[in-house]
Amino acid sequence: MKIAVDILLAIVSVALILVVLLQSGKSAGLSGAIGGASEQLLGKTKARGIDALLGKITVVLAILFMILTLLAGYFVK
């Protein structure tokens, strides 16, 4: 069980880092470099929709990260 929690914690950690890096900030972040061409073709509403989706994914991954961290600490005994 501990190994499964540790593996899930590692996967969620990497996913959380990637999702946070993909979000656009005040300086447009990495999503500006990746989604720049689509913004020109599809308009700015598409970019805002992607940022909203990334925000929701960040919340879910952060909650999973906290739960898995608590479980990993519980199994250390």
Side-chain angles (χ1 to χ4, degrees):
M1 184 71 172
K2 174 152 176 38
I3 294 172
V5 170
D6 287 342
I7 291 171
L8 284 174
L9 184 59
I11 292 170
V12 169
S13 299
V14 170
L16 184 60
I17 290 169
L18 290 175
V19 169
V20 168
L21 286 176
L22 285 174
Q23 290 180 9
S24 64
K26 293 180 181 177
S27 63
L30 287 178
S31 68
I34 295 171
S38 67
E39 191 172 318
Q40 290 175 353
L41 293 175
L42 301 173
K44 294 189 180 213
T45 57
K46 179 74 172 176
R48 282 188 222 129
I50 291 173
D51 284 338
L53 177 65
L54 288 174
K56 291 176 185 176
I57 293 172
T58 301
V59 170
V60 170
L61 288 174
I63 292 170
L64 280 173
F65 178 79
M66 287 186 254
I67 292 170
L68 289 172
T69 303
L70 290 172
L71 284 174
Y74 177 75
F75 288 126
V76 167
K77 296 179 186 179

